[in-house]
Amino acid sequence: MRCAGQSAGQKYGVAADCDPDEVTGKLHSLGLASSLSTASRRRRCVFGLALALVALAALCIAATSAGRSRRTNTLHRVSLADVDPDAVCNDGRPAAYYWKRGDDPRSWLVFLEGGGWCWDAESCRSREAHLTSDAWVGRSLSFDQGIMSRQSPVGDFNIVYLPYCSSDAHMADVGAEGTAAGVPFRGARIVRSALR
């Protein structure tokens, strides 16, 4: 292995290997052997090796990050508050969808998240919060595996992801006052609003 640091031999045009004896022989032939001690040459070789390992680690990290970004699809949040004020989750907050533009405007994947139902006050209270509200989701969602990832056969399509927060299988359109549960079931309205 060659030293990564610049030794006196390299400085004077000698490609120095990390073998101190060989370096000494080359430096002797140039009359420079007395300018570097064996300990100094070893330190330079160790330093060069350490520098090469750091550079290799940086390249590995960069390659891993680049590979992950080529596999990852990031979808961005679009609130439905301005589209339809009645397109709300069970908790009354505006629903949202996530999307990314694809390579072909004619190819679409629309993913409606599932998650069961509730039908009265008790069954709705027992549901997990992430199935009754869109408040838990951030400004974007990233997928690096599964059908919405970049490596999926449909990964380069336009993708719409609709989180499930209506507890009605995306089929109802009734306000809180019209339900036994006392919560709005607006799944159908959310879907229609997202697909406008």
Side-chain angles (χ1 to χ4, degrees):
M1 175 171 217
R2 297 184 108 43
C3 293
Q6 184 181 29
S7 69
Q10 289 170 320
K11 186 175 180 181
Y12 293 102
V14 177
D17 289 333
C18 287
D19 177 10
D21 295 331
E22 189 176 337
V23 172
T24 302
K26 289 180 181 180
L27 292 176
H28 270 295
S29 68
L30 292 172
L32 300 171
S34 61
S35 66
L36 288 176
S37 69
T38 301
S40 175
R41 288 190 308 272
R42 284 193 179 119
R43 276 194 303 273
R44 287 178 189 251
C45 285
V46 169
F47 175 75
L49 181 60
L51 191 61
L53 288 174
V54 168
L56 179 62
L59 286 172
C60 288
I61 291 169
T64 301
S65 297
R68 186 176 301 123
S69 68
R70 284 191 302 269
R71 292 190 328 252
T72 301
N73 270 333
T74 301
L75 285 61
H76 300 282
R77 181 185 173 97
V78 178
S79 174
L80 294 173
D82 294 332
V83 177
D84 184 344
D86 288 329
V88 296
C89 298
N90 290 143
D91 66 355
R93 295 176 195 230
Y97 65 94
Y98 294 79
W99 94 288
K100 75 133 190 108
R101 184 178 308 277
D103 297 339
D104 181 354
R106 297 170 298 159
S107 300
W108 287 82
L109 168 65
V110 178
F111 187 89
L112 304 179
E113 182 183 39
W117 301 56
C118 71
W119 51 92
D120 59 17
E122 183 181 339
S123 64
C124 287
R125 273 194 309 273
S126 69
R127 287 179 64 71
E128 295 182 34
H130 77 276
L131 295 174
T132 61
S133 176
D134 193 36
W136 64 272
V137 189
R139 293 188 164 291
S140 64
L141 296 174
S142 294
F143 298 92
D144 63 359
Q145 58 184 346
I147 194 166
M148 288 183 277
S149 68
R150 188 53 97 165
Q151 71 257 19
S152 163
V154 295
D156 60 348
F157 284 20
N158 295 285
I159 298 177
V160 175
Y161 172 75
L162 195 58
Y164 186 50
C165 68
S166 59
S167 304
D168 60 3
H170 304 283
M171 295 190 294
D173 189 5
V174 62
E177 67 285 346
T179 69
V183 299
F185 293 117
R186 298 287 192 179
R189 183 176 291 258
I190 293 169
V191 172
R192 280 193 307 269
S193 298
L195 296 179
R196 281 190 184 169

